[in-house]
Amino acid sequence: MEKVLLKNIENPNSADVNEYKKAGGYSSLSKALGLERKAIIEEVKKAGLRGRGGAGFPVAMKWTFASADPKFPKYLLCNADEGEPGTFKDRPILEKNPHLLIEGMAISGHALGAEFGYIYLRGEYPEAKNILNRAIKQAYDSGLLGDNILGKGIKFHLAVHQGAGAYICGEETALIESLEGDKGQPRIKPPFPVNVGVFAKPTVVNNVETLSNLPHIIEIGGDAYSKIGSPECPGPKLYCVSGHIEKPGVYELPMGTTLREIIYTHCGGIKGGKKLKAVIPGGATTPILPPDKIDCPMDFVNMPKHGSMLGSGAVIVMDESVCLVKVCYRILKFLEHESCGKCTPCREGTGWLRNILERLESGKGADGDIDLMLSVSGNMMGKTFCPLGDGAASVVQNFLKHFRPEFEEHIKDGKCKFK
Amino acid sequence: MLSEAAIKELEELRQKYPNARAALLPAIYIAQREFGWASPDAYEAVSEALGVPKAIARGVGTFYAMYKHKPMGRNIVQLCTNVSCMILGAEKLVDFLKNKYGLEPGGITPDGRFSMVIMECIGACGTAPAMLVNDDFYENLTEKSLEEILGKYK
């Protein structure tokens, strides 16, 4: 497949505006500025583009809602807060291809009638911050951002807003709170951000990878784009693969490539030829899968049918040396730390689950602990404002669904045999 | 008090937003840099510069992990121990830092050279285990490379 998102990144100066233009960059922006707003949204709809942040929401639908709202100004926010453990897919775009994102945002801004955009960048990417700021300045200097883009009388301003180390700010309403200068605690919906978002104005929040697809959609048209990858969920997809794998990294492949192909065809299989024990396919909070369940097409539509989720496309591969009780404990420790504290079931539940898992891992598990974890997680599911609580409950439920004997063994033996 | 340069920087930042409150997060970063940590004086300065009540500035600031609410060493070792780093040996590196430098998670060396913070995924999972020292990424760490890298920070 021809590279779209990681195109030209081998060029050491790929982040420079002139190098980007040489490779055909910003021609889609020029084309898009000559199109009616509705026509751009129509192309995105034909393309079948879904949000790449994790939820897979149809982009054109979100855009249509925000466009229909009569309030102005409208805002376009880029979610560059990739914090889901295992996820590093947006980093190559931010660091090596920042103009692709800027072009995508300028096109999207025009389509939405948004005159202001922010890139909410996670605090842990200091290098990306410098690169983005430099790229934005170049874009202003070249007339690609500002009050009169390419002399066509269209206005779009863009700035980087640096987060400060809070996983929850990847959730769009928490991101908005954080951008407004508040704690990153999710808001109840409705109202949805498309109507009442940042500064109480209609707001679209899209992920880095999502927005970076826009130049290609405008270039080849929605119909041609929709032929890439899964028919139900088209486009190129960045999969980031880590853990016990021969060739870890970020891979741009057609959406719907199976997990098995990703691991064995593209990434060279399990590190050192060892045996696969488990895979977390879409970032730490997506349901874990055992080795016999990896023939699943990695897209937003098919993964739920195979018992997991695409999430952020962050594949974490684990060989037989890994203790899954420990991994489960580590994920819950993370979620306890990152729970914003607003909803009681999540704030308390994550702590109790971590507590029980810590007990199991240190050999002090008691009979009934597994049922207790199922009870606690059952009391969290569906009872919180945002998906963090559900994610925490689902991690425990899915580890137990596929690997319960390992948890039972920890209790029976009173120790972790992997230590 | 913030330096004149910092006040100017903050003024420029302020122009990016429709109101002063939205500049709070970047303002705390600037104050933290000026004061060495997000100290009570740092919050006082932020509050004055933006016209945001001190209690609100501090309330917001303490929600976020990257504002440091105690004095830090000259260099901050930020080691990731989340899943991808953990299964590739990050915990051994934690032990190594403890044995070699007397550096505990959340702690500081007596000479003030290093502070250590355990990070929750820094987006370097494909090159795990990884860390940030101040603003610099270091990846595919081993005990040997960790020692060499830290040697560069005085």
Side-chain angles (χ1 to χ4, degrees), chain A residues 60-274:
Chain A
M61 203 188 285
K62 207 186 246 188
W63 286 17
T64 305
F65 293 145
S67 301
D69 195 292
K71 290 194 289 296
F72 279 95
K74 298 182 204 293
Y75 287 92
L76 172 66
L77 307 185
C78 169
N79 188 342
D81 195 51
E82 68 173 351
E84 176 77 16
T87 313
F88 52 106
K89 71 179 178 68
D90 292 338
R91 220 177 122 195
I93 297 178
L94 297 166
E95 292 180 356
K96 306 249 171 69
N97 223 350
H99 286 287
L100 181 71
L101 173 62
I102 295 170
E103 184 179 9
M105 286 191 77
I107 294 169
S108 311
H110 173 51
L112 292 162
E115 296 182 339
F116 300 98
Y118 293 97
I119 299 172
Y120 187 102
L121 178 71
R122 64 183 310 214
E124 293 87 343
Y125 284 179
E127 210 173 318
K129 184 189 165 197
N130 295 335
I131 292 166
L132 281 171
N133 277 328
R134 201 158 52 228
I136 288 172
K137 185 170 183 307
Q138 286 184 330
Y140 268 103
D141 292 345
S142 313
L144 300 159
L145 290 173
D147 286 329
N148 185 12
I149 301 177
L150 295 172
K152 299 207 175 152
I154 289 159
K155 174 175 165 183
F156 187 68
H157 287 276
L158 184 59
V160 175
H161 183 89
Q162 192 182 9
Y167 167 70
I168 191 63
C169 292
E171 195 279 337
E172 64 177 7
T173 61
L175 184 153
I176 288 169
E177 288 280 310
S178 182
L179 179 57
E180 290 181 350
D182 215 328
K183 298 187 284 285
Q185 292 189 312
R187 295 175 178 172
I188 198 157
K189 294 187 266 194
F192 290 93
V194 287
N195 301 117
V196 184
V198 74
F199 311 123
K201 295 290 190 270
T203 302
V204 162
V205 186
N206 280 142
N207 168 265
V208 173
E209 186 187 347
T210 312
L211 292 164
S212 299
N213 273 282
L214 262 295
H216 195 61
I217 292 174
I218 296 301
E219 187 191 334
I220 66 167
D223 282 330
Y225 179 95
S226 72
K227 307 284 189 298
I228 306 170
S230 304
E232 312 97 311
C233 190
K237 177 78 194 92
L238 297 178
Y239 298 102
C240 45
V241 189
S242 67
H244 295 126
I245 188 87
E246 278 293 337
K247 293 187 283 179
V250 182
Y251 291 80
E252 181 174 357
L253 300 168
M255 181 76 93
T257 305
T258 68
L259 192 50
R260 182 180 299 281
E261 284 174 89
I262 293 172
I263 295 173
Y264 289 97
T265 311
H266 299 283
C267 296
I270 313 306
K271 199 175 179 182
K274 287 193 180 158

Side-chain angles (χ1 to χ4, degrees), chain A residues 351-393:
Chain A
W352 280 106
L353 290 173
R354 189 270 306 144
N355 201 351
I356 299 164
L357 286 159
E358 191 170 4
R359 185 155 87 205
L360 254 66
E361 177 59 9
S362 63
K364 297 187 186 109
D367 289 338
D369 271 353
I370 288 175
D371 290 336
L372 186 56
M373 284 195 286
L374 289 172
S375 160
V376 172
S377 56
N379 278 310
M380 294 163 72
M381 195 59 99
K383 297 184 173 66
T384 54
F385 273 32
C386 88
L388 196 148
D390 288 347

